[in-house]
């Protein structure tokens, strides 16, 4: 939790109330308005229209970038001067921010500083792996360090607020935004979000290089029906509270200063006007005192949802539900004055929203230091060598070794990876040379040329290699003879994951699979390296390719990190935080599923698909190493009640892991549990904890976990939180398939 000392909190509250008491109605409404960058110039269209044209393929990325770079931004200076804007989204550049901040601070009546926000999701200019990749490191200290680095770069560019971390539990690979969070498990998203809040804000959000975090998208956006973005979410109250809300709660209680409600409805009520979420739970149960910001245009979209009759009704519903700031829909600035004057929205409700906004600005130190960005040197603030070092470490630790078999049927042979640098590699596939594909989704300020592609890395490391963009039959006939091993670099374009990027089909494209077949036909070893932003169909690769490396979208150091793993300079340690389904038809696919009364199996009348395997191709927690580990001595015992009167004290678990191979490695130890009998049936496995340990060859370590009462319990049909006495099954080890088992009675 952000430790704001009581004295400082009181001082801030006094300042907030004093300032509020001096504000006009127009100035109050102005603070609830966030504007996006609008373009002026010969385009005759707004920024959003240009963005939509690019997303719809009517404008290329290059044309779009050229427009943005050449466009004069309409920074609405008169509105700033009149106190009609509280925040900007997506306006960057220390000089530009200084200019508009100076207008707000020195030319408006009350001098209230602007709050500048931006999507710094996985890096600002030094782009690190997408969250779905980085979560696979199972390393909170790393997650915090990359966030800290992002905050320093963003602050130098005038940004004081990021719309991150996204902690939406995502159990459906069809949903493109699975790329933006920590996968299918709520504990993973909880730990990831908590680490990111710490990294962005530190314990002193007023520090010049600290930025406000924004927990999003509240709530359960990842539960969209059919994996279709923006679609309805239908969850029981129990499932919402057990499988989705904890990740937001943990991030809020870590001290996040802002929260962003989601686009979706939950049981028919849009989150943007859901007072149960925004007031009863967020503020009533969790004690949140920060600010809520709508998602882009989301307030206006209450009309399309069918929750509001018109924009005025939308503004009324959102404000009364607890939505403090309007991201770019302009509903608040256009409608709020009449809503207040008519009494449809009380002045108390508006004062609450404005107080939340002002409180965040005070906690960020904006009143004392509105020109914080001037303390950073934009010329040297980005892409520092030490930042690239962190980015490469994060990329190394995000790469998952999915498969690593001996080549051919020579059982005695060593696995294909790691490769010797003496070999001649044939790097195949255009993704191997596409720097601008390496950032992945939500890298809004990335510059493609900042990224190192695999071909760049081969050049700089003087690797013995040939690059074939398509590895056509002609190319292969000319070059195959000189190559010892083929590296097929395949996957998805970065635009295929992220927002508004749901897929109904998870296949790798036919042309890429045809290329893999051509490489297999050479009779030489083939390694597949995947660049993708979500789980994709890997059945063909798993059946035919001896080694598979999941490299996701790794950011600026992608090429170097892939070679680190291929040549064994780094021993892979990452594990999957999202399952890879057999195909789109078997989605949603996740490990913590119920057993059903007829668990899927061979028999006809069981819960399965008769035309596809039920098991994922690779499941949550899967990830190989270049060394081997052995687990032993799993014990579990009920620990003395750790909460006075605790009816069911937690469980202490310990297990020993030994590096039985010939090289050092980092091993992620996983601990799961199952409550086999309960009033509401429980999942067959539930992650209780994880810990990554470093082990030299022959070294053993004992790893301890504590399973809390809160983890063991669930909401019964009457919404009472209960912990059933009885047996609890414990599973611990390096993967779901290889756990040791124990039981304990609580
Ligand atoms: C988008 C996304 C949200 C993002 C916001 C600002 O629509 O849903 O995650 O932070 O708009 O760009």
């Amino acid at each position: 939790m952000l430790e704001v000392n009581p004295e400082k909190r009181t001082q801030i509250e006094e300042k907030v109330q004093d300032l509020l008491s001096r504000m006009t109605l127009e100035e109050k409404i102005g603070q609830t308005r966030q504007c996006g960058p609008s373009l002026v110039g010969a385009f005759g269209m707004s920024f959003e229209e240009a963005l939509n044209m690019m997303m719809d393929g009517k404008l290329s990325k290059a044309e779009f970038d050229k427009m943005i770079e050449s466009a004069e931004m309409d920074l609405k200076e008169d509105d700033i001067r009149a106190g009609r804007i509280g925040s900007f989204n997506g306006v960057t550049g220390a000089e530009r921010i200084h200019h508009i901040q100076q207008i707000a601070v020195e030319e408006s009546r009350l001098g209230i500083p602007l709050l500048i926000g931006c999507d710094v999701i996985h890096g600002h200019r030094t782009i690190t792996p997408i969250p779905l990749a980085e979560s696979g490191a199972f390393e909170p200290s790393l997650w915090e360090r990359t966030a800290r680095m992002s905050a320093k770069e963003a602050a130098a560019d005038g940004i004081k607020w990021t719309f991150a971390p996204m902690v939406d539990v995502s159990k459906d690979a069809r949903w493109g935004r699975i790329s933006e969070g920590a996968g299918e498990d709520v504990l993973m998203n909880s730990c990831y979000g908590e680490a990111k809040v710490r990294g962005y804000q530190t314990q002193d959000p007023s520090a010049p290089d600290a930025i406000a975090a924004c927990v999003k998208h509240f709530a359960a956006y990842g539960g969209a029906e059919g994996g279709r973005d923006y679609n309805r979410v239908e969850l029981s109250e129990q499932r919402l509270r057990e499988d989705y809300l904890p990740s937001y709660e943990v991030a809020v209680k870590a001290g996040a200063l802002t929260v962003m409600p989601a686009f979706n409805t939950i049981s028919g009520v849009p989150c943007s006007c859901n007072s149960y979420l925004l007031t009863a739970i967020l503020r009533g149960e969790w004690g949140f005192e920060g600010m809520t910001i709508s998602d882009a245009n989301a307030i206006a979209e209450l009309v399309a949802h069918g929750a509001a009759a018109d924009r005025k009704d939308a503004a009324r519903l959102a404000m009364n539900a607890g939505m403090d700031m309007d991201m770019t829909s302009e509903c608040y600035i256009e409608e709020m004055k009449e809503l207040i004057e008519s009494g449809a929205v009380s002045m108390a409700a508006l004062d609450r929203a404005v107080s939340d906004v002002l409180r965040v600005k005070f906690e960020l130190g904006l009143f004392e230091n509105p020109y914080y960005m001037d303390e950073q040197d934009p010329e040297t603030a980005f892409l520092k060598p030490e930042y690239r070092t962190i980015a490469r470490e994060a990329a190394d630790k995000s790469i998952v070794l999915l498969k690593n078999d001996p080549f051919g049927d020579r059982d005695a042979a060593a696995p294909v990876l790691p490769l010797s640098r003496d070999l001649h590699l044939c790097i195949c596939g255009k993704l191997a040379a596409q720097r601008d594909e390496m950032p992945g989704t939500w890298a809004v300020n990335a510059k493609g040329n900042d990224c190192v592609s695999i071909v760049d890395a081969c050049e700089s490391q003087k690797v013995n290699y040939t690059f074939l963009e398509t590895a056509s039959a002609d190319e292969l006939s000319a070059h195959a003879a000189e190559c010892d091993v083929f590296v097929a670099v395949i996957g998805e374009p970065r635009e295929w994951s992220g927002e508004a990027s749901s897929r109904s089909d998870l296949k790798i494209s036919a042309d890429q699979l045809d290329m893999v077949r051509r490489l297999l036909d050479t009779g030489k070893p083939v390694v597949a390296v995947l660049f993708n932003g979500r789980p994709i169909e890997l059945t063909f690769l798993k059946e035919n390719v001896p080694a598979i490396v999941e490299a996701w979208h790794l950011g600026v150091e992608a090429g170097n990190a892939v070679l680190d793993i291929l040549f064994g300079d780094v021993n892979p340690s990452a594990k999957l935080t999202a399952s890879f389904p057999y195909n789109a038809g078997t989605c949603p696919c996740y490990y913590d599923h119920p057993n059903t009364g007829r668990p899927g199996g061979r028999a006809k009348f069981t819960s399965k698909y008769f035309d596809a395997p039920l098991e994922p191709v690779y499941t949550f927690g899967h990830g190989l190493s270049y060394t081997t580990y052995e687990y032993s001595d799993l014990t579990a015992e009920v620990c003395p009640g750790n909460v006075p009167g605790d009816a069911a004290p937690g469980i202490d678990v310990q297990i020993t892991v030994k590096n039985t191979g010939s090289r050092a490695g980092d091993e992620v130890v996983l601990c799961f549990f199952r409550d086999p009998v309960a009033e509401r049936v429980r999942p067959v496995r539930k992650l209780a904890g994880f810990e990554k340990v470093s082990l030299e060859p022959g070294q053993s370590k004992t790893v301890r976990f504590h399973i809390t009462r809160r983890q063991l319990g669930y909401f019964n049909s009457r919404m009472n939180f209960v912990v059933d006495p009885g047996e609890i099954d414990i599973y611990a080890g390096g993967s779901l398939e290889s756990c040791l088992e124990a039981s304990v009675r609580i």
Side-chain angles (χ1 to χ4, degrees):
M1 189 71 170
L2 185 62
E3 304 301 330
V4 179
N5 69 53
E7 189 182 325
K8 182 177 178 187
R9 180 182 293 280
T10 305
Q11 287 171 359
I12 287 178
E13 214 47 44
E14 286 166 358
K15 290 176 182 173
V16 166
Q17 295 313 316
D18 164 60
L19 183 49
L20 189 70
S21 67
R22 292 183 280 121
M23 294 172 76
T24 65
L25 174 59
E26 288 72 12
E27 287 165 336
K28 288 181 181 179
I29 297 169
Q31 287 302 306
T32 69
R33 178 192 186 193
Q34 181 184 77
C35 291
S38 350
L39 306 177
V40 294
F43 318 116
M45 72 175 78
S46 72
F47 175 81
E48 287 73 16
E49 286 164 319
L51 188 64
N52 288 334
M53 281 183 72
M54 181 186 69
M55 295 299 198
D56 295 343
K58 295 178 187 128
L59 259 185
S60 72
K61 181 84 170 46
E63 289 165 330
F64 175 78
D65 287 345
K66 189 163 177 295
M67 275 175 72
I68 300 304
E69 275 160 24
S70 62
E72 280 299 308
M73 266 193 195
D74 170 10
L75 295 173
K76 302 181 172 66
E77 296 181 1
D78 291 342
D79 274 5
I80 297 173
R81 206 166 278 115
R84 288 170 46 85
I85 298 177
S87 170
F88 271 97
N89 165 5
V91 176
T92 55
E95 194 177 326
R96 179 180 284 152
I97 300 298
H98 183 106
H99 170 65
I100 57 177
Q101 195 67 288
Q102 200 160 25
I103 296 171
V105 170
E106 299 173 25
E107 298 178 29
S108 74
R109 188 178 75 88
L110 291 170
I112 300 173
L114 296 166
L115 177 53
I116 309 299
C118 191
D119 291 286
V120 182
I121 309 301
H122 52 106
H124 181 55
R125 283 293 304 281
T126 304
I127 302 302
T128 52
I130 56 172
L132 184 61
E134 193 191 31
S135 61
F138 285 80
E139 191 176 323
S141 61
L142 172 71
W143 302 333
E144 181 174 346
R145 281 188 290 124
T146 53
R148 187 85 295 275
M149 173 186 72
S150 306
K152 290 179 179 178
E153 283 198 329
D157 218 11
I159 296 160
K160 194 64 182 175
W161 179 22
T162 177
F163 307 126
M166 184 270 218
V167 294
D168 302 332
V169 169
S170 314
K171 296 176 183 284
D172 194 321
R174 293 172 293 179
W175 192 52
R177 304 200 76 166
I178 193 170
S179 52
E180 301 175 42
E184 67 194 48
D185 179 80
V186 69
L187 178 66
M188 290 309 297
N189 278 281
S190 302
C191 296
Y192 187 80
E194 183 179 32
K196 291 298 178 184
V197 169
R198 282 200 307 266
Y200 293 135
Q201 295 184 177
T202 75
Q203 278 301 321
D204 177 13
S206 67
D209 64 2
I211 61 177
C214 182
V215 185
K216 73 183 188 183
H217 304 80
F218 188 51
Y221 187 11
E225 190 174 271
R228 177 156 56 88
D229 208 355
Y230 316 118
N231 201 11
R232 71 194 298 187
V233 171
E234 291 296 335
L235 290 168
S236 66
E237 172 87 14
Q238 288 92 339
R239 183 129 192 258
L240 175 66
R241 286 185 175 271
E242 288 161 8
D243 285 358
Y244 290 88
L245 289 189
S247 57
Y248 307 100
E249 180 180 1
V250 168
V252 161
K253 291 184 174 175
L257 290 173
T258 72
V259 168
M260 181 186 290
F263 285 120
N264 52 280
T265 59
I266 296 180
S267 304
V269 181
C271 296
S272 299
C273 63
N274 193 322
S275 59
Y276 180 55
L277 277 183
L278 306 190
T279 299
I281 293 177
L282 181 61
R283 291 167 166 117
E285 291 183 26
W286 297 350
F288 177 64
E289 294 180 331
M291 175 183 89
T292 52
I293 168 88
S294 78
D295 206 331
N297 199 44
I299 293 175
E301 290 164 18
L302 293 175
V303 179
H305 270 296
D310 53 29
R311 291 168 59 85
K312 186 189 298 294
D313 200 24
R316 175 183 65 82
L317 289 167
M319 180 60 77
N320 286 340
M323 183 78 83
D324 297 328
M325 188 178 277
D326 170 10
M327 182 186 280
T328 66
S329 87
E330 301 286 72
C331 287
Y332 279 6
I333 196 71
E334 291 168 3
E335 309 293 350
M336 198 52 66
K337 188 170 186 295
E338 279 183 34
L339 287 166
I340 293 289
E341 287 165 352
S342 69
V345 172
S346 68
M347 184 62 83
L350 179 61
D351 284 352
R352 179 223 70 228
V354 178
S355 299
D356 291 343
V357 174
L358 297 177
R359 188 177 306 113
V360 168
K361 292 185 175 182
F362 275 113
E363 289 194 4
L364 287 170
L366 281 174
F367 287 88
E368 291 76 19
N369 185 11
Y371 306 120
Y372 57 89
M373 74 294 282
D374 297 356
E375 299 173 34
Q376 342 263 336
D377 179 352
E379 290 314 306
T380 59
F382 307 132
L383 292 156
K384 294 178 178 180
E386 60 267 35
Y387 291 171
R388 279 196 176 271
T389 302
I390 295 173
R392 184 163 177 173
E393 176 195 351
D396 286 337
K397 291 179 173 179
S398 300
I399 293 175
V400 185
L401 179 60
L402 294 176
K403 184 181 176 187
N404 189 26
D405 285 354
F407 168 60
D409 53 8
R410 295 170 290 158
D411 290 346
V416 170
L417 296 176
L419 302 173
S420 159
R421 284 182 180 270
D422 299 333
L423 294 174
H424 186 110
L425 272 57
C426 189
I427 307 288
C428 306
K430 60 184 180 183
L431 278 170
Q434 291 178 311
R435 297 179 186 135
D436 58 3
E437 286 294 334
M438 297 299 100
T441 188
W442 285 111
V444 295
N445 294 292
K447 305 238 181 303
N449 267 339
D450 293 341
C451 295
V452 174
S453 69
I454 291 177
V455 169
D456 291 331
C458 287
E459 282 297 316
S460 64
Q461 296 184 30
K462 297 187 178 13
V463 169
N464 180 7
Y465 82 105
T466 301
F467 170 54
L468 303 178
E469 186 171 280
T470 60
S472 64
D474 293 346
E475 283 179 320
L476 282 176
S477 61
H479 295 282
E482 73 205 33
C483 299
D484 300 311
V485 61
F486 288 95
V487 180
V489 183
I490 55 178
E492 285 182 318
R494 64 186 283 211
E495 294 307 323
W496 284 21
S497 56
E499 185 174 356
S501 303
S502 296
R503 290 183 66 185
S504 66
D505 180 335
L506 300 174
K507 289 189 181 64
I508 294 171
S509 63
D511 62 315
Q512 293 183 101
L513 289 180
D514 289 345
M515 181 184 80
V516 173
R517 287 188 187 92
R518 290 196 296 274
L519 302 183
L520 291 167
D521 289 347
T522 66
K524 294 188 175 179
V526 177
V527 176
V529 173
L530 303 173
F531 286 139
N532 45 294
R534 54 137 58 75
I536 52 179
E537 267 188 47
L538 296 182
T539 308
F540 173 78
L541 293 184
K542 183 176 182 179
E543 286 166 0
N544 296 285
V545 175
I548 306 172
V549 173
E550 175 55 75
W552 306 109
H553 289 124
L554 294 169
V556 293
E557 286 295 314
N560 287 326
V562 168
L563 294 194
D564 288 343
I565 297 292
L566 292 185
F567 288 121
D569 299 340
V570 170
N571 186 357
S573 59
K575 296 189 174 180
L576 296 179
T577 55
S579 302
F580 278 59
Y582 178 81
N583 61 20
T586 61
C587 290
C589 169
Y590 49 93
Y591 85 92
D592 54 339
H593 59 78
N595 205 32
T596 77
R598 296 190 174 190
R602 300 251 171 268
K604 176 172 176 52
F605 297 98
T606 58
S607 178
K608 66 179 184 306
Y609 305 91
F610 70 73
D611 59 351
L614 189 60
E615 301 71 27
V617 175
Y618 292 109
T619 189
F620 175 91
H622 176 76
L624 304 178
S625 170
Y626 292 149
T627 188
T628 53
Y629 301 99
E630 197 172 85
Y631 284 85
S632 61
D633 304 323
L634 171 64
T635 64
E637 56 186 21
V638 174
C639 62
N642 46 10
V643 173
D646 191 343
I651 297 172
D652 284 335
V653 178
Q654 70 176 42
I655 188 168
T656 299
V657 53
K658 179 178 183 181
N659 180 344
T660 50
S662 57
R663 61 171 294 170
D666 294 336
E667 170 68 343
V668 175
V669 184
L670 302 165
C671 178
F672 301 89
F673 74 95
R674 180 187 186 190
D675 180 350
V677 179
E679 180 194 324
R680 281 182 53 248
V681 297
R682 313 309 301 139
V684 294
R685 297 286 185 279
K686 195 67 191 164
L687 184 68
F690 60 85
E691 184 171 335
K692 182 151 80 171
V693 292
S694 298
L695 292 169
E696 293 299 321
Q699 186 182 7
S700 295
K701 282 185 182 173
T702 296
V703 178
R704 291 175 178 79
F705 299 98
H706 176 73
I707 306 177
T708 65
R709 181 175 186 277
R710 171 75 190 270
Q711 288 176 298
L712 291 167
Y714 62 94
F715 290 91
N716 70 11
S717 51
R718 290 168 303 290
M719 279 308 292
N720 300 318
F721 186 79
V722 296
V723 180
D724 292 335
E727 181 185 322
I728 297 291
D729 299 328
I730 305 294
Y731 307 84
S735 71
L736 273 168
E737 302 94 338
S738 62
C739 281
L740 301 184
E741 300 183 18
S743 282
V744 66
R745 295 194 68 80
I746 59 172

